[in-house]
């Protein structure tokens, strides 16, 4: 019997993890994407994008063999979280409250990409350096005019997925009219391996712990704020940005971590809520090509890794008389992802809406609610398990 072939379009984190997982599960798989280009970082310089990985993602990457390829000194375990409302709302979550040692791990995108790429090379996964252009009757057409055969095409080509549009997969996108601004900061006081998040009427500020530097303790900032405010900030020169961080974000954090100082160039991204039907005959989507959520819960990549784990499980468990690209096989994948994707969308979107409203009774209720949650061990255990990816929130 002919071995079926799978083509993964996209060489980001989702594409690389998919190809590696499928290869390790015994499938014939290759990647179609532009050449992997690592970002050159000076000593003590950290990749601008970092991820808070759940325990479920950490275990999956461990099984893929990629976790152990990352430098341990670049991985920061997070032992707890402090969440602040815009009034006096406050919730503290500690890993030990749910008998865990670590809540999440902060890893740099570049470090994870390097580990996944290295593992793909160890397993000799072919990488076609080209771009997906269209679907054909039995494979894909690349931008340079090659045809590549494939029984299943996996779209891991990000939020603007061309695979998704060529396969006519239904897709909805809702802009938040907010941008996410990311940068690394030096802080005055030690972060104590805690993650901090402040919810205000018009923004969410997250400070995630990173390794200490020669200039002092360091955090990664993810500041989701109104698009105009983010653009005004990005238009400032470096010293004005520095002042802005100290003044505005210093006041917002009530100097919880002492003085804040920018140590990297900030980047801004528009934030959207996106969902898709995830499959078509011979096509499945994973990662941002399939869905996108608000970064306030830091769950986008965790959700994408969950897709990949499920897709591999469905393909491994299918009866041998069914093809990898068959609609009823892919339908099992789509159904299995419905609930976790919906749950994450509801949590992130719900939190965004709850904190975006300025209506006085709701603003009061959310702060009272936070204080209440802080006093209820059962709910706290539930939230901690959610952060670990153990339940669908
Ligand atoms: C501000 C911010 C903070 C975030 N923080 C977190 C966090 O803390 N934790 C978390 O889990 N998630 C987080 N996320 C979400 C996370 O960044 C994404 O979910 C993740 O990067 C998506 O990876 P991906 O591989 O699906 O897509 P991408 O990273 O977009 O990769 C797509 C790949 O496809 C390739 N490609 C594009 N077009 C083609 C084509 N035609 N043919 C072939 N290849 C193509 C591209 O070159 C690229 O390599 C955050 C997002 C934002 C915006």
């Amino acid at each position: 019997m002919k071995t079926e072939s799978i083509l993964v379009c996209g060489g980001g984190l989702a594409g690389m993890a998919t190809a590696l997982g499928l290869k390790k599960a015994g499938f014939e798989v290759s990647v179609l994407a532009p050449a992997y280009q690592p970002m050159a970082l000076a000593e003590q310089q950290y990749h601008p994008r970092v991820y808070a990985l759940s325990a479920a993602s950490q275990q999956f990457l461990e099984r893929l063999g990629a976790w152990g390829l990352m430098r341990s000194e670049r991985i920061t375990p997070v032992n707890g979280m402090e969440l602040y409302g815009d009034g006096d709302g406050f919730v503290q979550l500690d890993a030990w409250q749910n008998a865990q040692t670590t809540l999440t791990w902060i890893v740099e995108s570049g470090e994870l990409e390097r580990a996944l790429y290295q593992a793909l090379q160890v397993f000799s996964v072919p990488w076609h350096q080209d771009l997906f252009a269209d679907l054909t009757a039995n494979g894909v057409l690349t931008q340079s005019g090659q045809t590549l055969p494939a029984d299943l095409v996996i779209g891991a080509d990000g939020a603007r997925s061309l695979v998704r549009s060529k396969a006519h997969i239904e897709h909805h996108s809702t802009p938040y009219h907010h941008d996410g601004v990311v940068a690394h900061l030096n802080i005055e006081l030690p972060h104590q391996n805690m993650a901090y998040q402040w919810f205000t009427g018009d923004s969410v500020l997250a400070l995630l712990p990173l390794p200490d530097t020669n200039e002092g303790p360091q955090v990664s900032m993810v500041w989701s704020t109104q698009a105009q405010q983010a653009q005004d900030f990005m238009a400032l020169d470096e010293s004005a940005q520095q002042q802005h961080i100290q003044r505005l974000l210093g006041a917002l954090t009530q100097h919880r971590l002492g003085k804040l100082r920018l140590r990297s160039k900030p980047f801004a991204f528009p934030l959207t809520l996106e969902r898709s039907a995830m499959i078509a005959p011979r096509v499945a989507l994973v990662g941002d090509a399939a869905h996108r959520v608000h970064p306030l819960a830091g769950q986008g990549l965790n959700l994408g890794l969950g897709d990949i784990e499920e897709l591999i499980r469905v393909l491994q468990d299918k009866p041998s008389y069914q093809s990898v690209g068959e609609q009823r096989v892919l339908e099992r994948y789509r159904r299995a992802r419905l609930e976790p994707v919906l749950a994450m969308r509801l949590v992130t979107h719900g939190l965004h809406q709850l904190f975006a409203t300025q209506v006085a009774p709701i603003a009061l209720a959310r702060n009272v609610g936070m204080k209440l949650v802080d006093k209820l061990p059962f709910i706290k255990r539930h939230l901690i398990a959610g952060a670990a990816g153990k339940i669908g929130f």
Side-chain angles (χ1 to χ4, degrees), residues 93-107:
L93 302 174
D94 289 299
W96 59 262
Q97 288 165 327
N98 196 39
Q100 293 169 213
T101 50
T102 305
L103 209 56
T104 56
W105 288 261
I106 308 298
V107 302

Side-chain angles (χ1 to χ4, degrees), residues 139-195:
V140 309
L141 177 69
T142 73
Q143 201 181 58
S144 72
Q146 287 183 73
T147 52
L148 300 173
D151 298 291
L152 171 63
V153 176
I154 297 181
D157 51 343
R160 304 275 64 80
S161 173
L162 187 59
V163 173
R164 187 179 63 213
S165 57
K166 292 291 181 183
H168 305 292
I169 296 177
E170 200 186 321
H171 169 249
H172 297 273
S173 174
T174 314
Y176 276 112
H177 306 296
H178 275 206
D179 284 1
V181 181
V182 294
H184 300 329
L185 313 179
N186 275 125
I187 52 176
E188 200 178 9
L189 303 173
H191 53 56
Q192 297 174 302
N193 286 62
M194 297 285 283

Side-chain angles (χ1 to χ4, degrees), residues 4-20:
E4 292 193 299
S5 65
I6 303 178
L7 183 68
V8 179
C9 298
L13 292 173
M16 289 202 270
T18 308
L20 183 58

